[in-house]
Amino acid sequence: MRVFVAGASGAIGSRVVPQLIERGHEVTGTFRSSGNDARLRTVGAEPVALDLLDADAVRMAVLAAEPDAIVHQATALATARFTRNLDRTFEETNRLRTEGTDNLLAVAHETGISRFVAQSFASMRNAREGGPVKTEDDPLDPTPVKGTRETNAAMRHLEEAVTGAGGIALRYGGFYGADNDGLVEPVRKRQFPIVGDGGGYFSFVHLDDAAAATVLALEHEGAAIYNIVDDEPAPVCDWLPVLAKTLGAKPPRHFPVWLARLFAGEGAVMMGTSGRGASNARAKRELGWTPRYPSWRQGFAAVYGKPTASRAMPISTAARG
Ligand SMILES: NC(=O)c1ccc[n+]([C@@H]2O[C@H](COP(=O)([O-])OP(=O)(O)OC[C@H]3O[C@@H](n4cnc5c(N)ncnc54)[C@H](OP(=O)(O)O)[C@@H]3O)[C@@H](O)[C@H]2O)c1
């Protein structure tokens, strides 16, 4: 297949491209940051500079590439600055998930491409009731907490638009697998506390496992939503001390709920105390996906327990220097 990967130079995109090429697909990959074109060429993709929010440019780029399938991995997560209001933190990513998705779907519709796989997110989106681990069929949170409503709505938009067009939305767990993983610095600096009882569940996935699931989804028929997460959803009070220890950091601080609410906002309190994790049973069953790192326990040790020089460095990390 000829595959158009939007966001090919990012943390997940740069793992997807080599796996697609290994399976015999041809890849056109988009990038934003200078220097990433050469790196995409190195891994065998045809690079194209593209702003996904520019509808005309998206149309021209896809028409020129003449793909059989589209993968949407463009986000602005790596450069996000955390504030008390997560909707502000994720504003650009929310636009990429709404306008960006719509721009890609418009040209997919125009050219008759129905094979479409897009990035969504698994943890902390479900109704905060019942058990701690949720499937794709469990209800999403009908009343997301203050400061997270636009972010939740953007993911919902992406999933409805993509599946409505016959494609697949992948609800990934929190990515890890590279030196610049979002959690590394905050955990090293003890800026990521255990809030209250630390009972909020997270789901994780290693970037290589997430990429493998993406390739399988692309080769799968029919519209669907899949949780692409490891086998062990876990509360913050379990995984955070393990991550801190593996990174050689001091143990995490403990914040009472009122203090976390004051400094980090309602979204952070929800994530730390009442967020739900996700089940990967459907992805395993229907995609035939088996994660190489079934738990963050092995994954964190494999990625962060090694000397820095031997860790994987994704394309965009190197480009950002
Ligand atoms: N630092 C933090 O606070 C934080 C927070 C959450 C997550 N994260 C990390 O972020 C990563 C998320 O993985 P990811 O692959 O989704 O993100 P990523 O590594 O930032 O990759 C995003 C991709 O989208 C592209 N892109 C950005 N803006 C675009 C636009 N307007 N139009 C088209 N393409 C655009 C990027 O291009 P270029 O790379 O070429 O610019 C890149 O290819 C994880 O590693 C996670 O740990 C960090």
Side-chain angles (χ1 to χ4, degrees):
M1 267 191 290
R2 293 165 67 90
V3 185
F4 186 92
V5 181
S9 51
I12 177 68
S14 62
R15 311 276 177 138
V16 169
V17 170
Q19 292 198 28
L20 284 170
I21 287 170
E22 207 177 289
R23 284 175 78 98
H25 302 300
E26 282 176 49
V27 180
T28 299
T30 82
F31 66 97
R32 284 274 284 167
S33 302
S34 60
N36 278 343
D37 52 344
R39 293 167 206 282
L40 279 172
R41 219 170 256 121
T42 306
V43 289
E46 185 59 37
V48 177
L50 183 66
D51 179 359
L52 212 60
L53 301 177
D54 180 340
D56 291 337
V58 172
R59 181 171 179 273
M60 297 307 291
V62 175
L63 290 180
E66 297 183 42
D68 305 297
I70 294 175
V71 179
H72 175 7
Q73 299 287 5
T75 66
L77 293 172
T79 50
R81 289 255 168 275
F82 273 91
T83 67
R84 291 180 80 255
N85 183 328
L86 293 179
D87 287 338
R88 199 169 315 138
T89 302
F90 297 130
E91 198 173 353
E92 178 88 3
T93 293
N94 292 343
R95 287 190 68 200
L96 289 166
R97 287 186 166 148
T98 51
E99 295 167 52
T101 302
D102 291 349
N103 290 340
L104 284 170
L105 284 173
V107 63
H109 180 71
E110 179 184 337
T111 51
I113 300 166
S114 62
R115 241 173 239 281
F116 195 107
V117 175
Q119 173 183 156
S120 185
F121 187 64
S123 306
M124 297 165 273
R125 293 183 55 207
N126 285 100
R128 286 160 283 133
E129 59 191 22
V133 180
K134 302 298 185 188
T135 72
E136 295 85 346
D137 294 331
D138 285 315
L140 294 175
D141 193 342
T143 51
V145 299
K146 199 168 151 220
T148 68
R149 287 171 198 147
E150 287 164 26
T151 304
N152 275 276
M155 288 187 273
R156 198 187 274 255
H157 173 93
L158 178 145
E159 292 177 0
E160 288 175 0
V162 168
T163 55
I168 293 178
L170 299 180
R171 292 180 181 168
Y172 296 112
F175 290 142
Y176 69 91
D179 279 344
N180 70 333
D181 289 333
L183 283 174
V184 169
E185 272 310 290
V187 173
R188 266 196 219 287
K189 293 179 178 166
R190 302 183 83 205
Q191 292 167 340
F192 196 120
I194 293 176
V195 178
D197 67 356
Y201 271 64
F202 278 54
S203 279
F204 289 100
V205 67
H206 189 289
L207 284 161
D208 288 338
D209 283 330
T214 309
V215 174
L216 290 171
L218 198 67
E219 295 168 350
H220 190 75
E221 299 296 330
I225 294 175
Y226 293 109
N227 292 332
I228 305 300
V229 298
D230 74 14
D231 294 349
E232 194 183 352
V236 180
C237 60
D238 279 357
W239 64 259
L240 184 51
V242 173
L243 178 56
K245 194 169 178 201
T246 311
L247 288 169
K250 287 186 184 156
R253 296 176 203 276
H254 286 258
F255 273 24
V257 167
W258 68 266
L259 190 63
R261 183 172 288 129
L262 196 66
F263 283 105
E266 208 59 60
V269 170
M270 180 277 292
M271 286 193 275
T273 60
S274 63
R276 268 34 184 189
S279 156
N280 62 15
R282 179 185 286 173
K284 283 182 159 178
R285 194 174 60 241
E286 295 185 13
L287 297 177
W289 174 65
T290 309
R292 253 177 59 206
Y293 298 95
S295 164
W296 46 270
R297 291 182 196 277
Q298 301 109 37
F300 288 171
V303 175
Y304 307 125
K306 288 191 277 186
T308 307
S310 64
R311 288 184 205 149
M313 182 175 281
I315 293 172
S316 54
T317 315
R320 284 185 198 114

